[in-house]
Amino acid sequence: QVQLVESGGGLVQAGGSLRLSCAVSGGTFSILTMGWFRQAPGKEREFIATITWNGGGTSYADSVKGRFTISRDNAKNTVYLQLNSLKVEDMAVYYCAARYGEVYYNNQAQYTYWGQGTQVTVSS
């Protein structure tokens, strides 16, 4: 069973940065497609970023393109999400997701495994 544990959330001022981490255990990380999603209060969970098993392919939501960067370290079984130039509207619970596959996936329904989430709070 693949398990995902997110960390790195917290309180930051608008314009600041955070780096989220998602540690994966119980599976073969090097062949997992990884994704990040977020859910703000009263809103649907939305896609943020995804990365292929070898890091060769990435995709981002338009709302975060140019500000957020997804990356992975297969030696550490960890995927990262660097959040820069944070805005108040980025405040949400951020979730890490995974599935076995060879391409990246933008739809949450395509993911098999999920973490518990980490809260990102952005103050104005």
Side-chain angles (χ1 to χ4, degrees), residues 8-81:
L11 173 64
V12 63
Q13 286 189 327
S17 298
L18 283 175
R19 189 175 81 154
L20 307 183
S21 299
C22 173
V24 179
S25 61
T28 307
F29 181 76
S30 60
I31 58 173
L32 285 169
T33 290
M34 302 299 299
W36 285 96
F37 294 78
R38 70 185 181 189
Q39 187 168 21
K43 295 188 176 182
E44 298 286 321
R45 188 161 56 185
E46 64 174 345
F47 164 76
I48 296 300
T50 180
I51 188 167
T52 53
W53 62 276
N54 62 353
T58 58
S59 179
Y60 296 89
D62 288 343
S63 60
V64 306
K65 204 170 293 183
R67 299 188 298 122
F68 293 5
T69 304
I70 189 171
S71 61
R72 65 189 296 158
D73 185 339
N74 284 359
K76 295 183 178 180
N77 288 4
T78 301
V79 64
Y80 304 97
L81 186 67

